[in-house]
Amino acid sequence: LTGDVNNVGLVEVPMGLSIRSIVEDVGGGIPKGRKFKAVQLGGPSGGCVPAEHLDAPVDYEAIMQLGAIVGSGGMIVIDDSKCIVDVARFFMDFCQDESCGKCVPCREGLDRMLDMLTDITEGRGSEEDLGLLEELGGVIKEASLCGLGGTAPNPVLSTIRYFREEYEAHVLHKQC
């Protein structure tokens, strides 16, 4: 449990406990009076789950339905001061760097997704990029040969799903 939470560290909780209980009770809530925005679950290729799903149980099926994975069990709490597009770009950069490069969908697809995210965060993105990111992410998940490629698009796909307005602010208004 790490990120924007008062009590960071290695914790063991039973499966089925809610995200809210883990963040608020175990983690001690969000510091400095900030509000909970999302939690990134499952390691770098996991997905981001927004505040509207704080009461979801942390179990394999429920988390997968929300667009994330339990994965390594990591939870990174994100407060309302963070740009979710920057968060997605950070995780895509990591996943793209970790790709072994053996299969084209992962090698070329993750590189292209990272390029589009960089363009969006730097004010050069377009509305078409959002659809392309979703389409390319789906292709990479289906066509990659290993677990990394099958999950690497999750941070982008889940943040577009839940925080589309932040992406649109970047591409339409050139602001975070």
Side-chain angles (χ1 to χ4, degrees):
L1 182 62
T2 190
D4 300 319
V5 67
N6 284 309
N7 303 324
V8 300
L10 181 61
V11 299
E12 185 173 337
V13 298
M15 292 297 278
L17 202 59
S18 72
I19 296 169
R20 180 186 309 276
S21 183
I22 295 170
V23 172
E24 293 178 1
D25 300 335
V26 177
I30 312 297
K32 301 177 185 168
R34 304 299 314 198
K35 294 191 182 329
F36 177 92
K37 183 175 200 168
V39 63
Q40 201 272 352
L41 295 158
S45 61
C48 292
V49 177
E52 66 194 65
H53 296 293
L54 267 171
D55 294 315
V58 177
D59 66 42
Y60 295 103
E61 293 80 21
I63 297 304
M64 283 190 69
Q65 287 179 342
L66 296 174
I69 57 174
V70 172
S72 62
M75 295 181 81
I76 301 172
V77 179
I78 303 163
D79 73 23
D80 62 347
S81 70
K82 305 297 185 298
C83 170
I84 207 72
V85 184
D86 287 339
V87 169
R89 190 202 169 287
F90 173 83
F91 288 116
M92 181 54 59
D93 184 44
F94 180 87
C95 290
Q96 186 268 342
D97 193 48
E98 290 299 307
S99 173
C100 73
K102 288 185 180 177
C103 71
V104 174
C106 192
R107 181 182 65 238
E108 300 299 324
L110 296 182
D111 192 50
R112 184 65 190 118
M113 286 183 80
L114 180 59
D115 287 346
M116 283 189 277
L117 286 167
T118 299
D119 285 347
I120 290 169
T121 60
E122 294 178 357
R124 296 184 307 271
S126 69
E127 286 185 79
E128 293 79 31
D129 289 338
L130 302 183
L132 288 171
L133 282 168
E134 290 174 312
E135 184 179 350
L136 187 53
V139 169
I140 294 167
K141 286 174 71 84
E142 292 297 319
S144 293
L145 299 176
C146 76
L148 176 71
T151 59
N154 286 344
V156 177
L157 296 175
S158 64
T159 55
I160 291 175
R161 174 180 175 183
Y162 295 118
F163 300 97
R164 188 174 205 93
E165 69 281 355
E166 287 194 37
Y167 281 87
E168 290 171 350
H170 278 276
V171 299
L172 298 174
H173 307 295
K174 309 299 181 199
Q175 63 185 7
C176 186

